[in-house]
């Protein structure tokens, strides 16, 4: 078997980069780099995604901390960031067609933690394109999941999934780079800039995509044993575009 392909960014330039040394967050709408809810106003999982607050979003020497905590009311609150504030409008925040999208992060483990880095196509008029670069179910520290979706009327028209095995605890012990390269021909996924999966690019992925990262809880797994607080650390999120036009 040939060695994994290394991501070579020498022919690319950065189009978006945030090291979170200062935070630019809005609950919804224009005026900040990130909003803290999905553009379609949909929460998911067993924690409420909160508006910007220092109790949920914090800038640190390690970048952005997203903090999930359990309140005195017994409810969990956590955080999500998204680079666009509206669907069906590629100018409503940062979106990009094709290129390399990457998050450097340290992910929390423990049964019921569910951090993720993912992309959504900005045009939802006929279908919803979704690329889950990494979903980490923290109760299973030897694996993470990568999934491609195209949703039509709430159903998967297109579904491909890949489970990656890593040394137990690698994703929570230190920072790792999670990336996806979308080209007109292929969609390829990288861990620490080494390719681990590649698929043909479906037509629905040939459009501007926006970025989401979140610390969700649950995902079908129990959260009763989780101890508050739980922290996801994101050192940076960066997007590159190829110097030459795509064929």
């Amino acid at each position: 078997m040939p060695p994994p392909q290394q991501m070579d960014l020498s022919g690319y330039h950065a189009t978006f980069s945030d090291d979170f040394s200062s935070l630019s967050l809005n609950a919804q709408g224009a005026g900040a780099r990130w909003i803290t809810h999905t553009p379609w106003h949909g929460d998911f999982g067993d924690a409420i995604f909160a508006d910007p607050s220092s109790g949920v979003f914090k800038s640190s020497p390690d970048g952005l901390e997203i903090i999930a905590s359990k309140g005195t009311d017994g409810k969990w609150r956590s955080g999500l960031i998204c680079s666009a504030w509206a669907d069906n409008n590629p100018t409503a925040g940062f979106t990009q067609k094709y290129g390399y999208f990457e998050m450097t992060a340290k992910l929390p483990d423990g049964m019921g933690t569910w951090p993720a880095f993912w992309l959504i196509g900005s045009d939802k008029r006929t279908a919803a394109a979704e690329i889950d670069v990494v979903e980490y179910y923290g109760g299973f520290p030897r694996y993470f999941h990568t999934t491609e979706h195209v949703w039509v009327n709430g159903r998967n028209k297109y579904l491909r999934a890949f489970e990656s095995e890593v040394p137990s605890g690698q994703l929570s012990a230190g920072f790792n780079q999670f990336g996806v390269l979308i080209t007109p021909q292929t969609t390829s996924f990288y861990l620490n800039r080494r390719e681990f999966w590649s698929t043909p690019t479906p037509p629905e992925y040939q459009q501007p995509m926006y970025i989401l990262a979140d610390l969700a809880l649950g995902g079908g797994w129990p959260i009763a044993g989780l101890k508050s607080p739980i922290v996801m650390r994101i050192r940076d999120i960066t997007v590159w575009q190829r110097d030459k036009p795509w064929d």
Side-chain angles (χ1 to χ4, degrees), residues 4-48:
Q5 188 79 17
Q6 184 84 24
M7 182 62 206
D8 180 6
L9 292 170
S10 60
Y12 291 74
H13 59 278
T15 54
F16 178 96
S17 184
D18 197 345
D19 64 3
F20 303 102
S21 55
S22 61
L23 301 186
S24 179
L25 307 172
N26 264 358
Q28 288 283 357
R33 174 163 283 191
W34 303 96
I35 62 169
T36 60
H37 297 277
T38 64
W40 60 92
H41 309 286
D43 280 5
F44 52 88
D46 295 326
I48 299 166

Side-chain angles (χ1 to χ4, degrees), residues 65-84:
E65 294 184 356
I66 300 180
I67 305 164
S69 59
K70 191 175 184 179
T72 56
D73 57 2
K75 295 181 179 179
W76 284 88
R77 290 168 177 80
S78 190
L80 173 149
I81 58 173
C82 179
S83 68

